[in-house]
Every structure is written in structure tokens, then in C-alpha cells.
Amino acid sequence: MRKPTVNRPATILLTALAPVSWGTTYAVTTEFLPADRPLFTGMMRALPAGLVLLGLARVLPRGVWWGKAAVLGALNIGAFFPLLFLSAYRLPGGMAAVVGSVGPLIVVGLSAVLLGQRPTARSVLTGLVAAFGVSLVVLKAAGALDAVGVLAALAATASMSAGTVLTKRWGRPEGVGPFALTAWQLTAGGLLIAPLALLVEGAPPALDGRAVGGYLYLALANTAVAYWLWFRGIGRLTATQVTFLGPLSPLTAAVVGWAALGQTLTPVQLAGMALAFGATVAGQLGGRPPWAGVPQGPDGPGACDAPPVAGPRAARAL
């Protein structure tokens, strides 16, 4: 089968817009949205965006894809959001972002098991450098760590990492593009969060104009467009390449905090940003084509080759 042409630099840049967008979530949440409603905010990010995309795509899952879409939606959205929010509220400063920055290492390990991509010393070292760089940017002196918060952060990272690798492994059914796949996952994840938000947080809060604008931004640009770019990238790049774009989220949050919220950046933080960004770039170099060594499906390599949203102590994460 002829290998499709993929403009990898353009694909990497477009995919990178997703974590860059997610890096603005912290500022939007603290400046525009009601306080202490992480589950409601997670639902408002996922469900409206999923329903809008579903209405535009006008394609529903068929056969086994009902189950696959539910699993991917739970891993990438439904479980990931609440776990991330829980860790952000219970951990000091940017600790949740530090824990989340080990995501590339988890993806490297899962890719070896599920995709047959043997980890290299370079990918492991790059992952360690990325995590260290992020820690210099967001980690500050803090008291004793909360065990539940640490476990929640690890579970959130593992959930998103597993969702990324399974999205790569399962690909998409014939004739279905990343637009519809994104709609399925956001809808499934939002439906999973909705009853949890009602049970834990009660009735939705009253919203003013600023809150409505903030939720519209989160649902459309920050979620619908960003996740479509993310899942599109997973179909065209290796899972490892995609996950090494993740550190752009806390780096963007730090820059937005400095530019828009009056926060300072120390020389140590600037050094950490340089390390994390360097690791992100290194993670894109030398990657195999996404179809290499993987059985082809009818749609080529894109088919079968198979946040921080919280209060002032939130982590600068997705």
C-alpha cells in the first residue's frame, strides 16, 4: 500500500496548538468562572463541545465503536477531568503539573506494550528532562503532600496517557475522520461527568456575562477545536511525539500568568522553560512514520495504526 504523504512539521505545529490552548485554562477559570465548581466546569467544557461537534459531524458510532468511543471518552475526558481537578485542589502549587509531566514516560511504556514501539534511551532521557524542566517552572516550596492528591494526579496522567495510546491503536472506523471521533469522546466524557457534578456540587450556579463568555471559550476553542487538533495529531504522528507536546501546557500557563496576571518569572523558572521546551522539540525528532511497523487499515495511517480548571492553587496542566 502506498504510504500517504504527511507534512510532519505542519502537523506537529497544529497539534501543538492544543496544549498551548489548554495552558490558558487556568487564567480563564480564575478570572471569569465561578469558584470551586471544578466538576461543573469540566462538564461545561466537554458536553456542549461534544454535542456541537456531533451535530456538525452527523455520524454516530456503529458496532464495537459504541464501546470503544465510551472507553476513549472516559479515559481522555470523563475520568481525566475529575481526577485532575481533585489533584489540583488537594496539592500545593504546581505539584499536579509536575506529576502530570511524567505522562511522556507513561506513554513510552504503554506504546511498547500496546503498539510494539520499543522505548529508546533517548525517549526516556527526553521525558526525564521534560519533567525536570516543568518542575522548575511550576514547583515551589510547599508543606506535606496530600496522598489522595498525588494518587489522583498519577491516575489522571495514566488515564490520559492510556487514552492517547489506545486512540493510536484503535484509530478510526472506515470513513470516519478525527472530527467525528472527537465528538464521540467529548460527548461520552461529558455524559460521564454530568451526574457526578450534580451529585457532588448540586445545582448549576448562576452565571453572569463573564462566566458565559469564559465557558464559551472553554467549550469551543479550548476543547472542541483543541481536542480535534489533538486527536488529529494522534492519527498522523507517533503517540510519543504527541505526548511530548504536553509540556507546552504548563509553559503556556506560566507565560500567560506573567503577561496577563502580573506573575513574575524567576531565572530558575526561565531555565526550566528552556529545558522543557528543548525536550518538547527533541521529542519530535527522529520519530518513525506513524504507519511504520503497524498494520494498515482502509483509511491508511490515520485509521488503524492504531487544567487546569481549579482555584488559585491549581496546577498548570491540561
Side-chain angles (χ1 to χ4, degrees):
M1 177 179 291
R2 182 178 63 86
K3 297 178 181 178
T5 300
V6 175
N7 188 340
R8 199 175 75 169
T11 299
I12 291 172
L13 290 175
L14 285 174
T15 307
L17 291 177
V20 168
S21 172
W22 297 331
T24 67
T25 306
Y26 174 77
V28 171
T29 301
T30 56
E31 297 300 311
F32 292 91
L33 304 185
D36 300 325
R37 302 302 294 259
L39 293 175
F40 177 76
T41 298
M43 181 194 70
M44 291 295 289
R45 284 186 68 187
L47 190 54
L51 293 175
V52 168
L53 294 185
L54 196 61
L56 293 174
R58 304 182 68 178
V59 177
L60 293 175
R62 289 181 294 180
V64 297
W65 269 97
W66 282 103
K68 288 183 176 181
V71 170
L72 293 177
L75 291 172
N76 288 319
I77 307 295
F80 174 69
F81 277 7
L83 287 169
L84 180 65
F85 304 152
L86 176 61
S87 68
Y89 272 102
R90 298 185 68 110
L91 292 179
M95 177 56 72
V98 175
V99 177
S101 67
V102 304
L105 297 175
I106 297 177
V107 168
V108 167
L110 290 176
S111 295
V113 176
L114 298 177
L115 303 180
Q117 297 177 358
R118 185 167 53 187
T120 64
R122 172 177 164 175
S123 63
V124 173
L125 179 60
T126 303
L128 291 173
V129 172
F132 179 66
V134 170
S135 70
L136 292 181
V137 175
V138 301
L139 187 59
K140 298 179 181 179
L145 297 182
D146 181 271
V148 173
V150 172
L151 290 176
L154 286 172
T157 303
S159 180
M160 185 66 168
S161 299
T164 297
V165 176
L166 281 179
T167 300
K168 186 68 179 176
R169 178 177 176 84
W170 288 342
R172 304 188 300 268
E174 182 177 1
V176 173
F179 193 86
L181 183 64
T182 304
W184 299 349
Q185 295 189 51
L186 288 174
T187 302
L191 289 174
L192 183 63
I193 298 173
L196 183 62
L198 184 61
L199 288 173
V200 175
E201 297 178 350
L207 303 179
D208 58 16
R210 289 173 60 85
V212 170
Y215 281 126
L216 283 175
Y217 169 77
L218 289 183
L220 298 178
N222 187 268
T223 301
V225 175
Y227 271 94
W228 168 66
L229 290 173
W230 186 253
F231 294 133
R232 175 182 178 272
I234 291 175
R236 300 185 177 204
L237 304 169
T238 67
T240 302
Q241 282 179 300
V242 172
T243 196
F244 268 112
L245 295 173
L248 293 176
S249 179
L251 296 186
T252 301
V255 172
V256 171
W258 166 75
L261 303 181
Q263 299 172 356
T264 60
L265 288 175
T266 67
V268 172
Q269 287 178 303
L270 293 174
M273 293 175 70
L275 282 175
F277 185 76
T280 297
V281 173
Q284 310 309 312
L285 303 178
R288 299 188 308 165
W291 55 82
V294 183
Q296 294 293 306
D299 286 350
C304 294
D305 58 352
V309 180
R313 298 174 61 210
R316 273 73 165 172
L318 167 54

